[in-house]
Amino acid sequence: VNTWLIGGSVLNMLNDRKESSLSSFVLKTLEGEAEEIKASSSVVIDFKKSLAKFRDNFSAYRDLSESGDVAEAAANIFAVLRWSESVAGAKTVLIADINPSSCSTTLYGREHIPAVSDRMYRAASGKVAGKLIIKD
């Protein structure tokens, strides 16, 4: 299973998309590594519903915190990562990065942002999507 961290610029491009259908796309790192992704064989780990409008296109979807509470995301991250690895037929795991300015959490919760972001980055083996090319 290949895992990608979906960076802020790609999340913004997806959120600007008017259509909710998404079947095939290419993700690229800033270093030039690229992979074609089929939504139907991908699992999404979301944060604050960043990719919720596309959830029906993916084989499985979970949100670490629909409200954007980083403390809740921190409590859920390990279980959701384990879950993502057990989804039958999944070839790709897509993890939506945390946008600190959109977090609806207390100061205590904000202390968790670096730790949760680091865990996401490590789960993706440092592979961060910086560019998106939609194929459909």
Side-chain angles (χ1 to χ4, degrees), residues 70-79 116:
V70 182
E72 179 184 7
N76 292 332
I77 186 78
F78 290 106
V116 174

Side-chain angles (χ1 to χ4, degrees), residues 62-78:
R62 291 263 172 101
D63 201 311
L64 293 171
S65 173
E66 290 185 0
S67 66
D69 185 326
V70 182
E72 179 184 7
N76 292 332
I77 186 78
F78 290 106

Side-chain angles (χ1 to χ4, degrees), residues 68-126:
D69 185 326
V70 182
E72 179 184 7
N76 292 332
I77 186 78
F78 290 106
V80 173
L81 286 169
R82 281 192 303 279
W83 162 82
S84 72
E85 295 171 351
S86 70
V87 174
K91 295 184 177 168
T92 308
V93 175
L94 306 171
I95 306 172
D97 201 4
I98 293 177
N99 177 353
S101 65
S102 71
C103 296
S104 58
T105 191
T106 64
L107 182 58
Y108 166 75
R110 288 188 180 275
E111 292 174 354
H112 294 290
I113 293 172
V116 174
S117 291
D118 180 66
R119 185 63 199 115
M120 292 172 160
Y121 181 79
R122 288 172 187 264
S125 299

